[in-house]
Amino acid sequence: MEDYHKPDQQTLQALKNIANRLRINSIKATTAAGSGHPTSCCSVAEIMSVLFFHTMKYRPEDPRNPNNDRFVLSKGHAAPVLYAVWAETGYLKESELLNLRKIDSILEGHPVPKQQFVDVATGSLGQGLGAACGMAYTGKYFDKASYRVYCLLGDGELSEGAVWEAMSFASYYQLDNLVAILDINRLGQSDPAPLQHHVEKYQRRCEAFGWNAIIVDGHSVEELCKVLCQPRHQPTAIIAKTIKGKGISVAEDKMGWHGKPLTREMADTVLKELHSRILNNNKRLYPATPMDDAPPVSVRNIRMPSAPSYKPGEKIATRKAYGLALAKLGRYNERVVALDGDTKNSTFSEIFKNEHPNRYVECYIAEQNMVSVAMGCAARDRNIVFASTFATFFTRAFDQLRMASISESNINLCGSHCGVSIGEDGPSQMGLEDMAMFRALPTATVFYPSDGVSTEKAVELAANTKGICFIRTSRPESAIIYNSNEDFHVGQAKVVYKSNDDQVTVIGAGVTLHEALAAAEQLKKERINIRVIDPFTIKPLDSKTIIDHAKATRGRIVTVEDHYYEGGLGEAVCSAVACEPGITVHRLAVAHVPRSGKPAELLKIFGIDKDAIMQAVKKMISSSANAK
């Protein structure tokens, strides 16, 4: 504590005054809105006052300045107190707080990045610390800058496993620039939090995860000033014992007040009491200016240094082509970074690690945290982030992906080992729901490359595409079908096999595209011509190309996919042609939970191989003929 200088009485009183003004504005805002969480705001008023007006270094007029300290409000329902802070700095007009939760106000019920002072959306509890880890990792290892990262969590969300994944990550990587403040206010939404005010138990848990854990009175500005100024050699958890609803006498430490605003009459009484606690003090507090030591970064127009070097007919698994492409992209821009969840020798992100070891982050088997860390690494456009694991394991991180979408996050995810074509490992390892999941995300682009060339192009396009990008890769080797100079675009399909008298359009992707091409060759010998389309992106889907070619093949489409029927390629195509008269779609997909077996056996059993495609084509032609 040798570098701690106790603030003078004027400063301490100014911080107390700010805390009470934060309470006042939080109550005013939630009462005006008729909804919100004033008691959750009031428990952290002193914490927010000390953080923003004594501890953190930032430019209040420029909230996204790369040199600023970062703040993540993991307990996102306390958003009004964050908005009150920014009104206190002068960045927001105090009158704007009264528009909380209104349709034409940026001050939504939970923090979102349309607010310049918010980096990641929060509100689904338990996710903020993982994002803060990504920011802190970037600050320490990529930016090598002096900014710090502060994350405020509620005690209720400490029941979420994702918090402890993040705790483990932070201590393993010695993120001494990260501070988590735990608001131990005892009360949850419908019950007290499980440990209530047993702060020493929280301390032991945090210490067990390798954190420096300190218990403080969360309503003492002096204690908070002291603990937040301590030098750190490991991540720090400040366990702040607080009272929920502090300053609202009718609600202090009482159940039944979570998420309930005060009536106007109640608010008037409480506001008078709070105003009486604000003592005359001419001292005005301003945040300290940060050091300008974060390097300038450009994450735009990221291009491959050369065209793909594959030769037609050569064989390579798209998962390996992903690893090679990522390493190649990393040679061009030093802000390309890769994360993986202990599957790097299967996803082939190990190729990137071997070439760029300082830009690879091993997240181990904690996929929820990996996605949150990716969001943190990508925040403020500091890095181009790629994270990979088996496609099926992203399903356990769907809530993190959903919040990444709300966060307007630009993260790129690669899911390998999709579908039954992985073979003997069995259904627990087979990604069969992943396309449905990613298609459901409003900001997502879903790439499904079918050879090495298109995989490399997908990696390059993903690096330059806003929002969440998902690249679906396969385990088996497949032949190169595109020339190295082939041009690819998001939302542009490729017609890979055609003649002038095709009778059916077949749409496949990944392994099923190669089955469709094999079927086309065999059917040609039987004098049945089909057209084969590679959609390249499942979202957005190239509806125009599909409709145009369906019309050219008498309105007949067969879709074939290594995915369950629900939510995949077939449903995407059905949606695209729904309003087009005279088009019929026959879908081939995995109909039920699969089993172990050889890839070829599984493709055959589930009716998505060459023979099944040929049978579907013949059936469709026969049905049309019979109908006439």
Side-chain angles (χ1 to χ4, degrees), residues 480-537:
I480 301 297
I481 58 175
Y482 292 109
N483 292 318
S484 62
N485 60 356
E486 184 76 32
D487 201 19
F488 285 83
H489 298 278
V490 171
Q492 186 179 97
K494 298 286 183 184
V495 180
V496 293
Y497 198 99
K498 68 177 287 192
S499 73
N500 291 330
D501 60 345
D502 294 328
Q503 299 176 64
V504 179
T505 293
V506 177
I507 305 171
V511 295
T512 63
L513 181 72
H514 295 272
E515 294 294 322
L517 289 169
E521 290 289 350
Q522 185 64 39
L523 287 167
K524 189 177 181 181
K525 293 174 185 174
E526 300 177 31
R527 298 189 177 178
I528 299 171
N529 291 322
I530 64 171
R531 193 160 298 187
V532 180
I533 291 178
D534 170 11
F536 182 57
T537 55

Side-chain angles (χ1 to χ4, degrees), residues 63-64 71-73 79 82-83 91 105-123 131 135 375-376 378-381 402-410 443:
R64 291 248 168 114
F71 175 77
V72 180
L73 182 64
L82 178 62
Y83 305 155
Y91 184 79
S105 172
I106 65 161
L107 303 183
E108 296 196 16
H110 291 76
V112 288
K114 68 179 67 167
Q115 304 147 358
Q116 287 294 301
F117 46 85
V118 170
D119 291 309
V120 291
T122 53
M135 296 174 193
M375 286 170 59
R380 300 195 193 187
D381 294 328
R402 185 180 68 87
M403 291 304 293
S405 187
I406 296 168
S407 294
E408 303 168 27
S409 185
N410 300 317
T443 66

